[in-house]
Amino acid sequence: HLVPHPDAVTQESHQQQGYNTAQAVFGPDGYASDQKPDGIVLTDDMMTRGALTALDRLGVRAGTDVRIATHAHAGSQSLMCYEA
C-alpha cells in the first residue's frame, strides 16, 4: 500500500521498483561490466519509466547498450524514442 494504514505494509511504487532494480544491476555497486545484461524484459509501463530514468542517470543507453523487450505492451508510449 502506498497510503499508510495501520495494518498495511508500505510498498514501493512500480516506478520506484524499476528505478531501484536498474540501479542495483547497472549502477556502481551492480554487476561487473562484463556481466551486465545486454537485454531486459519489462512488462509494466511504470516499471519501464523508472528503469529508463535510472539507466539515463547512469549513462546506459537503452536501445544501444541494453535492449528492452516487452510482450505485454507492444507499441507502449513508455518506450517511445528507445526503439532500436
Side-chain angles (χ1 to χ4, degrees), residues 2-84:
L2 299 176
V3 178
H5 185 274
D7 299 323
V9 175
T10 302
Q11 296 181 359
E12 297 176 326
S13 67
H14 287 183
Q15 191 166 358
Q16 188 67 45
Q17 289 176 43
Y19 182 89
N20 290 344
T21 301
Q23 283 282 345
V25 173
F26 292 95
D29 297 328
Y31 293 10
S33 60
D34 64 337
Q35 295 178 331
K36 292 190 189 308
D38 61 358
I40 305 169
V41 175
L42 294 164
T43 60
D44 181 284
D45 282 352
M46 293 310 294
M47 283 187 182
T48 300
R49 293 301 324 147
L52 289 171
T53 299
L55 294 173
D56 184 51
R57 290 184 177 179
L58 292 167
V60 177
R61 297 170 299 167
T64 302
D65 298 331
V66 64
R67 300 286 206 122
I68 298 177
T70 180
H71 69 279
H73 300 285
S76 168
Q77 294 299 306
S78 293
L79 295 172
M80 187 176 75
C81 299
Y82 294 99
E83 300 92 346

